[in-house]
Amino acid sequence: MTSDVEKISELDPSELGKKDYWENAYKLELTNYADHGDVGEVWFGEDAGQRMVNWMSEHPEYILPGDAILDNGTGNGMLCMDMAEEGFTNVTGVDYCQEAILLAQKIRDEAGCDVDFQVGNILDKASPFFQKKFKVVTDKGTFDAISLSETAKTDKLTYIANTASILEDTGCGLFIITSCNWTEHELTAMFATHFKHLETIPTPSFTFGGKQGNTVTTVIFQKLS
């Protein structure tokens, strides 16, 4: 019998799955920030990040203000700063692009937020942040980008295993993901080796050709004990 994961088709590779694309994009955004104070693109819009932050602040049974939170693929760091503004005090943002981290640090310093930004890659366990355990890991577009790389099939498996490995073993570590490439069903199937589905946050929907869909999907997963 074919498993749910085996039924999921791989996405066609794209420039969005290449590191040099993001390096060049953030070099431009660094220049724009220096010239005009433009923080750059907020992936999936500000509402997508705010939905994630709101859910976290509304569920103290899972997340307390001082719990360690990692934002994976933080880009310009705006999601981290939204978390800090909401009262979360132990937030780390990582990105494999040095240029993204430089931009995030500049925006943080201007805003006066207390967030730790560092270069790191979820696919590389030599990254310094692997020395720490986190209560929550967030992702807004990073798994999507990895899904568009030439080596997506193996990289996605590494991503899932490594994400589980940096979450706390006790206290039911959470993984919160927003994706525009994958549905709730597909994400649940792919992450089932290390996570169980906890909740899906409602997101804007649309109807086309008599069928209903969502522009993005936001799912909360809990690490398997």
Side-chain angles (χ1 to χ4, degrees), residues 29-78:
E29 292 200 349
L30 272 169
T31 299
N32 289 339
Y33 184 73
D35 291 346
H36 314 294
D38 182 358
V39 301
E41 184 167 1
V42 177
W43 281 91
F44 310 146
E46 294 181 3
D47 288 349
Q50 197 58 54
R51 280 191 291 269
M52 299 167 79
V53 176
N54 288 347
W55 189 93
M56 292 164 63
S57 65
E58 292 166 2
H59 290 81
E61 70 274 25
Y62 293 116
I63 311 166
L64 296 173
D67 285 337
I69 301 170
L70 178 76
D71 183 37
N72 179 33
T74 196
N76 60 12
M78 296 307 295

Side-chain angles (χ1 to χ4, degrees), residues 40-191:
E41 184 167 1
V42 177
W43 281 91
F44 310 146
E46 294 181 3
D47 288 349
Q50 197 58 54
R51 280 191 291 269
M52 299 167 79
V53 176
N54 288 347
W55 189 93
M56 292 164 63
S57 65
E58 292 166 2
H59 290 81
E61 70 274 25
Y62 293 116
I63 311 166
L64 296 173
D67 285 337
I69 301 170
L70 178 76
D71 183 37
N72 179 33
T74 196
N76 60 12
M78 296 307 295
L79 179 57
C80 288
M81 285 177 268
D82 287 344
M83 287 189 264
E85 290 175 4
E86 191 66 29
F88 293 101
T89 59
N90 190 3
V91 181
T92 301
V94 298
D95 201 289
Y96 72 170
C97 287
Q98 175 73 49
E99 294 80 4
I101 294 302
L102 289 173
L103 177 61
Q105 290 170 335
K106 289 178 181 292
I107 298 171
R108 173 202 63 193
D109 293 345
E110 182 75 19
C113 285
D114 184 14
V115 177
D116 177 31
F117 289 114
Q118 53 184 268
V119 177
N121 187 346
I122 191 65
L123 302 181
D124 181 6
K125 281 197 167 185
S127 298
F129 68 88
F130 276 96
Q131 302 302 311
K132 183 177 178 180
K133 291 286 188 179
F134 298 88
K135 182 64 177 290
V136 181
V137 173
T138 59
D139 176 324
K140 187 160 67 73
T142 300
F143 187 71
D144 282 358
I146 288 172
S147 300
L148 295 170
S149 72
E150 296 284 352
T151 53
K153 190 169 185 177
T154 55
D155 286 349
K156 287 189 297 178
L157 296 176
T158 302
Y159 176 102
I160 294 166
N162 287 359
T163 298
S165 75
I166 57 173
L167 282 168
E168 293 178 359
D169 295 318
T170 59
C172 304
L174 298 182
F175 173 59
I176 306 175
I177 180 172
T178 293
S179 169
C180 69
N181 286 341
W182 304 109
T183 65
E184 172 192 333
H185 177 78
E186 289 168 333
L187 289 169
T188 300
M190 288 187 283
F191 282 83

